[in-house]
Structures are given as structure tokens and as C-alpha cells.
């Protein structure tokens, strides 16, 4: 029984989020087909979404810090 995503699976999901091709229900179902339990699949997809949002926030804060230093 799977309970972790590989690095490439995580990156693929983040790429889909970035380009607007992400469907949470479809991604959960894809993980279930790969052998994940429903609850685990849902949690893993939600974790990837949270991670993606943290990445965006980090990049935005870096941009703000950089522009503040150049004022």
C-alpha cells in the first residue's frame, strides 16, 4: 500500500497547478488507481497544494525583499 508520493509525482502535480490543468478529484482518483487509499490520496494531494502555495508565498516575499533593498 502506497503512502508517499515520489519527487517527480509531486513536481508533476505542482506543474499542473501552475498551468491550470489541475483537477483535485481527478488527481485523487489517479492516486487511488495507483494503489493509494482514498483518505491517503486526498491528504497527499492537499499537501501538494499547500506546498505549492508556500512556494508561491516564498517567491513573492523574495521579490518584495529584493525590491526593498533596491529602493
Amino acid at each position: 500500500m502506497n503512502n508517499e508520493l515520489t519527487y517527480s509525482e509531486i513536481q508533476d502535480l505542482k506543474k499542473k497547478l501552475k498551468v491550470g490543468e489541475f483537477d483535485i478529484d481527478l488527481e485523487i482518483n489517479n492516486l487511488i488507481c495507483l494503489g493509494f487509499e482514498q483518505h491517503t490520496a486526498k491528504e497527499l494531494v492537499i499537501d501538494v497544494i499547500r506546498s505549492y502555495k508556500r512556494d508561491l508565498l516564498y517567491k513573492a516575499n523574495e521579490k518584495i525583499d529584493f525590491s526593498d533593498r533596491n529602493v
Side-chain angles (χ1 to χ4, degrees):
M1 189 78 36
N2 291 334
N3 60 5
E4 287 186 22
L5 296 174
T6 64
Y7 178 79
S8 64
E9 289 171 328
I10 293 169
Q11 295 308 312
D12 287 342
L13 289 174
K14 286 183 178 183
K15 182 180 176 183
K16 288 180 182 180
L17 280 163
K18 183 177 182 178
V19 297
E21 297 177 356
F22 187 85
D23 180 332
I24 191 167
D25 294 324
L26 178 63
E27 300 305 335
I28 291 170
N29 286 333
N30 287 342
L31 291 179
I32 292 169
C33 289
L34 291 173
F36 290 89
E37 290 185 20
Q38 183 176 4
H39 178 73
T40 302
K42 182 177 178 180
E43 289 300 316
L44 290 171
V45 170
I46 289 171
D47 287 345
V48 170
I49 294 169
R50 286 183 183 135
S51 174
Y52 179 73
K53 287 181 177 182
R54 279 192 300 270
D55 293 347
L56 290 176
L57 181 60
Y58 178 77
K59 287 178 185 178
N61 285 336
E62 275 187 335
K63 219 179 235 188
I64 290 170
D65 289 345
F66 180 75
S67 66
D68 286 347
R69 281 185 253 139
N70 290 326
V71 171

